[in-house]
mmCIF file of all heavy atoms in Angstrom:
data_model
loop_
_atom_site.group_PDB
_atom_site.id
_atom_site.type_symbol
_atom_site.label_atom_id
_atom_site.label_comp_id
_atom_site.label_asym_id
_atom_site.label_seq_id
_atom_site.Cartn_x
_atom_site.Cartn_y
_atom_site.Cartn_z
ATOM 1 N N THR D 1632 135.540 2.542 -2.890
ATOM 2 C CA THR D 1632 135.543 1.094 -2.429
ATOM 3 C C THR D 1632 137.015 0.603 -2.228
ATOM 4 O O THR D 1632 137.267 -0.149 -1.287
ATOM 5 C CB THR D 1632 134.892 0.333 -3.528
ATOM 6 O OG1 THR D 1632 133.533 0.751 -3.739
ATOM 7 C CG2 THR D 1632 134.819 -1.151 -3.217
ATOM 8 N N VAL D 1633 137.839 0.940 -3.133
ATOM 9 C CA VAL D 1633 139.243 0.557 -3.022
ATOM 10 C C VAL D 1633 139.905 1.060 -1.782
ATOM 11 O O VAL D 1633 140.571 0.421 -1.025
ATOM 12 C CB VAL D 1633 140.099 0.998 -4.265
ATOM 13 C CG1 VAL D 1633 141.579 0.701 -4.085
ATOM 14 C CG2 VAL D 1633 139.545 0.262 -5.517
ATOM 15 N N LEU D 1634 139.583 2.365 -1.465
ATOM 16 C CA LEU D 1634 140.108 3.016 -0.248
ATOM 17 C C LEU D 1634 139.533 2.290 0.962
ATOM 18 O O LEU D 1634 140.343 2.121 1.927
ATOM 19 C CB LEU D 1634 139.716 4.509 -0.244
ATOM 20 C CG LEU D 1634 140.183 5.345 0.909
ATOM 21 C CD1 LEU D 1634 141.692 5.332 0.882
ATOM 22 C CD2 LEU D 1634 139.631 6.815 0.823
ATOM 23 N N ALA D 1635 138.287 1.912 0.955
ATOM 24 C CA ALA D 1635 137.718 1.277 2.083
ATOM 25 C C ALA D 1635 138.364 -0.092 2.376
ATOM 26 O O ALA D 1635 138.739 -0.478 3.478
ATOM 27 C CB ALA D 1635 136.204 1.048 1.963
ATOM 28 N N GLU D 1636 138.587 -0.860 1.176
ATOM 29 C CA GLU D 1636 139.284 -2.136 1.371
ATOM 30 C C GLU D 1636 140.636 -1.986 1.972
ATOM 31 O O GLU D 1636 141.093 -2.815 2.749
ATOM 32 C CB GLU D 1636 139.262 -2.896 0.045
ATOM 33 C CG GLU D 1636 137.831 -3.307 -0.401
ATOM 34 C CD GLU D 1636 137.879 -3.975 -1.772
ATOM 35 O OE1 GLU D 1636 138.875 -3.855 -2.457
ATOM 36 O OE2 GLU D 1636 136.806 -4.486 -2.181
ATOM 37 N N ARG D 1637 141.414 -1.015 1.444
ATOM 38 C CA ARG D 1637 142.762 -0.796 1.932
ATOM 39 C C ARG D 1637 142.783 -0.455 3.412
ATOM 40 O O ARG D 1637 143.699 -0.786 4.171
ATOM 41 C CB ARG D 1637 143.492 0.205 1.126
ATOM 42 C CG ARG D 1637 143.807 -0.300 -0.348
ATOM 43 C CD ARG D 1637 144.522 0.656 -1.154
ATOM 44 N NE ARG D 1637 144.911 0.126 -2.508
ATOM 45 C CZ ARG D 1637 145.489 0.813 -3.499
ATOM 46 N NH1 ARG D 1637 145.820 2.121 -3.196
ATOM 47 N NH2 ARG D 1637 145.705 0.303 -4.622
ATOM 48 N N SER D 1638 141.788 0.322 3.812
ATOM 49 C CA SER D 1638 141.662 0.755 5.245
ATOM 50 C C SER D 1638 141.448 -0.452 6.135
ATOM 51 O O SER D 1638 142.004 -0.563 7.204
ATOM 52 C CB SER D 1638 140.492 1.713 5.415
ATOM 53 O OG SER D 1638 140.715 2.937 4.716
ATOM 54 N N VAL D 1639 140.689 -1.409 5.700
ATOM 55 C CA VAL D 1639 140.480 -2.654 6.437
ATOM 56 C C VAL D 1639 141.801 -3.445 6.598
ATOM 57 O O VAL D 1639 142.099 -3.804 7.746
ATOM 58 C CB VAL D 1639 139.414 -3.582 5.710
ATOM 59 C CG1 VAL D 1639 139.292 -4.882 6.395
ATOM 60 C CG2 VAL D 1639 138.023 -2.875 5.727
ATOM 61 N N ALA D 1640 142.428 -3.616 5.440
ATOM 62 C CA ALA D 1640 143.721 -4.437 5.510
ATOM 63 C C ALA D 1640 144.836 -3.657 6.217
ATOM 64 O O ALA D 1640 145.607 -4.184 7.053
ATOM 65 C CB ALA D 1640 144.098 -4.806 4.099
ATOM 66 N N GLY D 1641 145.012 -2.384 5.890
ATOM 67 C CA GLY D 1641 146.124 -1.662 6.362
ATOM 68 C C GLY D 1641 146.074 -1.106 7.723
ATOM 69 O O GLY D 1641 146.884 -1.271 8.592
ATOM 70 N N GLN D 1642 144.873 -0.446 7.994
ATOM 71 C CA GLN D 1642 144.705 0.154 9.342
ATOM 72 C C GLN D 1642 144.158 -0.778 10.359
ATOM 73 O O GLN D 1642 144.593 -0.650 11.503
ATOM 74 C CB GLN D 1642 143.728 1.375 9.229
ATOM 75 C CG GLN D 1642 144.340 2.577 8.408
ATOM 76 C CD GLN D 1642 143.321 3.683 8.381
ATOM 77 O OE1 GLN D 1642 142.736 3.960 7.371
ATOM 78 N NE2 GLN D 1642 143.168 4.371 9.526
ATOM 79 N N LEU D 1643 143.243 -1.638 9.998
ATOM 80 C CA LEU D 1643 142.612 -2.495 11.011
ATOM 81 C C LEU D 1643 143.185 -3.925 11.055
ATOM 82 O O LEU D 1643 142.814 -4.673 11.937
ATOM 83 C CB LEU D 1643 141.067 -2.513 10.682
ATOM 84 C CG LEU D 1643 140.361 -1.146 10.556
ATOM 85 C CD1 LEU D 1643 138.896 -1.407 10.364
ATOM 86 C CD2 LEU D 1643 140.614 -0.346 11.856
ATOM 87 N N ASP D 1644 143.983 -4.356 10.051
ATOM 88 C CA ASP D 1644 144.505 -5.665 9.971
ATOM 89 C C ASP D 1644 143.294 -6.663 9.954
ATOM 90 O O ASP D 1644 143.329 -7.702 10.575
ATOM 91 C CB ASP D 1644 145.445 -5.992 11.114
ATOM 92 C CG ASP D 1644 146.192 -7.286 10.966
ATOM 93 O OD1 ASP D 1644 146.318 -7.699 9.729
ATOM 94 O OD2 ASP D 1644 146.614 -7.929 11.947
ATOM 95 N N GLY D 1645 142.222 -6.250 9.192
ATOM 96 C CA GLY D 1645 141.024 -6.988 9.178
ATOM 97 C C GLY D 1645 140.821 -7.707 7.824
ATOM 98 O O GLY D 1645 141.669 -7.667 6.921
ATOM 99 N N ALA D 1646 139.637 -8.380 7.650
ATOM 100 C CA ALA D 1646 139.230 -9.048 6.516
ATOM 101 C C ALA D 1646 137.905 -8.573 6.092
ATOM 102 O O ALA D 1646 136.997 -8.511 6.872
ATOM 103 C CB ALA D 1646 139.305 -10.571 6.670
ATOM 104 N N LEU D 1647 137.707 -8.404 4.821
ATOM 105 C CA LEU D 1647 136.449 -7.818 4.220
ATOM 106 C C LEU D 1647 135.929 -8.874 3.135
ATOM 107 O O LEU D 1647 136.587 -9.079 2.233
ATOM 108 C CB LEU D 1647 136.643 -6.466 3.639
ATOM 109 C CG LEU D 1647 135.367 -5.787 3.157
ATOM 110 C CD1 LEU D 1647 134.381 -5.489 4.278
ATOM 111 C CD2 LEU D 1647 135.745 -4.468 2.405
ATOM 112 N N GLU D 1648 134.721 -9.419 3.386
ATOM 113 C CA GLU D 1648 134.182 -10.353 2.444
ATOM 114 C C GLU D 1648 132.803 -9.874 1.909
ATOM 115 O O GLU D 1648 132.050 -9.296 2.717
ATOM 116 C CB GLU D 1648 133.997 -11.754 3.104
ATOM 117 C CG GLU D 1648 135.277 -12.382 3.605
ATOM 118 C CD GLU D 1648 135.016 -13.669 4.321
ATOM 119 O OE1 GLU D 1648 133.754 -13.974 4.525
ATOM 120 O OE2 GLU D 1648 135.923 -14.338 4.792
ATOM 121 N N ARG D 1649 132.597 -9.975 0.592
ATOM 122 C CA ARG D 1649 131.314 -9.634 0.024
ATOM 123 C C ARG D 1649 130.682 -10.794 -0.762
ATOM 124 O O ARG D 1649 131.423 -11.524 -1.452
ATOM 125 C CB ARG D 1649 131.523 -8.498 -0.987
ATOM 126 C CG ARG D 1649 131.824 -7.131 -0.315
ATOM 127 C CD ARG D 1649 131.780 -6.025 -1.341
ATOM 128 N NE ARG D 1649 131.945 -4.721 -0.817
ATOM 129 C CZ ARG D 1649 133.163 -4.138 -0.669
ATOM 130 N NH1 ARG D 1649 134.230 -4.767 -1.015
ATOM 131 N NH2 ARG D 1649 133.271 -2.909 -0.151
ATOM 132 N N ASP D 1650 129.372 -10.987 -0.536
ATOM 133 C CA ASP D 1650 128.626 -12.052 -1.245
ATOM 134 C C ASP D 1650 127.515 -11.326 -1.966
ATOM 135 O O ASP D 1650 126.552 -10.885 -1.407
ATOM 136 C CB ASP D 1650 128.092 -13.063 -0.238
ATOM 137 C CG ASP D 1650 127.227 -14.176 -0.916
ATOM 138 O OD1 ASP D 1650 127.315 -14.317 -2.142
ATOM 139 O OD2 ASP D 1650 126.696 -14.967 -0.213
ATOM 140 N N TRP D 1651 127.593 -11.387 -3.348
ATOM 141 C CA TRP D 1651 126.651 -10.713 -4.209
ATOM 142 C C TRP D 1651 125.522 -11.737 -4.487
ATOM 143 O O TRP D 1651 125.381 -12.183 -5.632
ATOM 144 C CB TRP D 1651 127.282 -10.168 -5.466
ATOM 145 C CG TRP D 1651 128.472 -9.272 -5.188
ATOM 146 C CD1 TRP D 1651 129.682 -9.570 -5.026
ATOM 147 C CD2 TRP D 1651 128.312 -7.889 -5.047
ATOM 148 N NE1 TRP D 1651 130.491 -8.392 -4.768
ATOM 149 C CE2 TRP D 1651 129.530 -7.278 -4.812
ATOM 150 C CE3 TRP D 1651 127.204 -6.953 -5.093
ATOM 151 C CZ2 TRP D 1651 129.830 -5.980 -4.590
ATOM 152 C CZ3 TRP D 1651 127.422 -5.561 -4.889
ATOM 153 C CH2 TRP D 1651 128.689 -5.132 -4.573
ATOM 154 N N ALA D 1652 124.662 -11.999 -3.465
ATOM 155 C CA ALA D 1652 123.571 -12.923 -3.554
ATOM 156 C C ALA D 1652 122.435 -12.184 -4.386
ATOM 157 O O ALA D 1652 122.268 -11.007 -4.316
ATOM 158 C CB ALA D 1652 123.117 -13.426 -2.225
ATOM 159 N N PRO D 1653 121.616 -13.007 -5.026
ATOM 160 C CA PRO D 1653 120.486 -12.360 -5.806
ATOM 161 C C PRO D 1653 119.606 -11.574 -4.947
ATOM 162 O O PRO D 1653 118.994 -10.471 -5.462
ATOM 163 C CB PRO D 1653 119.720 -13.588 -6.408
ATOM 164 C CG PRO D 1653 120.815 -14.630 -6.496
ATOM 165 C CD PRO D 1653 121.658 -14.435 -5.312
ATOM 166 N N GLY D 1654 119.366 -11.954 -3.676
ATOM 167 C CA GLY D 1654 118.381 -11.212 -2.825
ATOM 168 C C GLY D 1654 118.959 -9.916 -2.282
ATOM 169 O O GLY D 1654 118.312 -9.127 -1.668
ATOM 170 N N GLY D 1655 120.292 -9.711 -2.333
ATOM 171 C CA GLY D 1655 120.900 -8.545 -1.857
ATOM 172 C C GLY D 1655 122.364 -8.775 -1.363
ATOM 173 O O GLY D 1655 122.750 -9.888 -1.096
ATOM 174 N N LEU D 1656 123.088 -7.745 -1.285
ATOM 175 C CA LEU D 1656 124.504 -7.835 -0.900
ATOM 176 C C LEU D 1656 124.643 -8.258 0.543
ATOM 177 O O LEU D 1656 123.940 -7.755 1.424
ATOM 178 C CB LEU D 1656 125.205 -6.493 -1.199
ATOM 179 C CG LEU D 1656 126.603 -6.308 -0.588
ATOM 180 C CD1 LEU D 1656 127.555 -7.298 -1.338
ATOM 181 C CD2 LEU D 1656 127.058 -4.866 -0.665
ATOM 182 N N LEU D 1657 125.591 -9.198 0.839
ATOM 183 C CA LEU D 1657 125.918 -9.554 2.165
ATOM 184 C C LEU D 1657 127.430 -9.259 2.318
ATOM 185 O O LEU D 1657 128.277 -9.816 1.549
ATOM 186 C CB LEU D 1657 125.650 -10.977 2.386
ATOM 187 C CG LEU D 1657 126.127 -11.628 3.777
ATOM 188 C CD1 LEU D 1657 125.309 -10.909 4.919
ATOM 189 C CD2 LEU D 1657 126.017 -13.086 3.841
#
Side-chain angles (χ1 to χ4, degrees):
T1632 300
V1633 173
L1634 182 61
E1636 290 177 349
R1637 290 182 178 177
S1638 296
V1639 172
Q1642 289 184 253
L1643 305 181
D1644 191 23
L1647 185 64
E1648 298 176 357
R1649 288 187 175 92
D1650 180 8
W1651 301 92
L1656 171 65
L1657 174 66

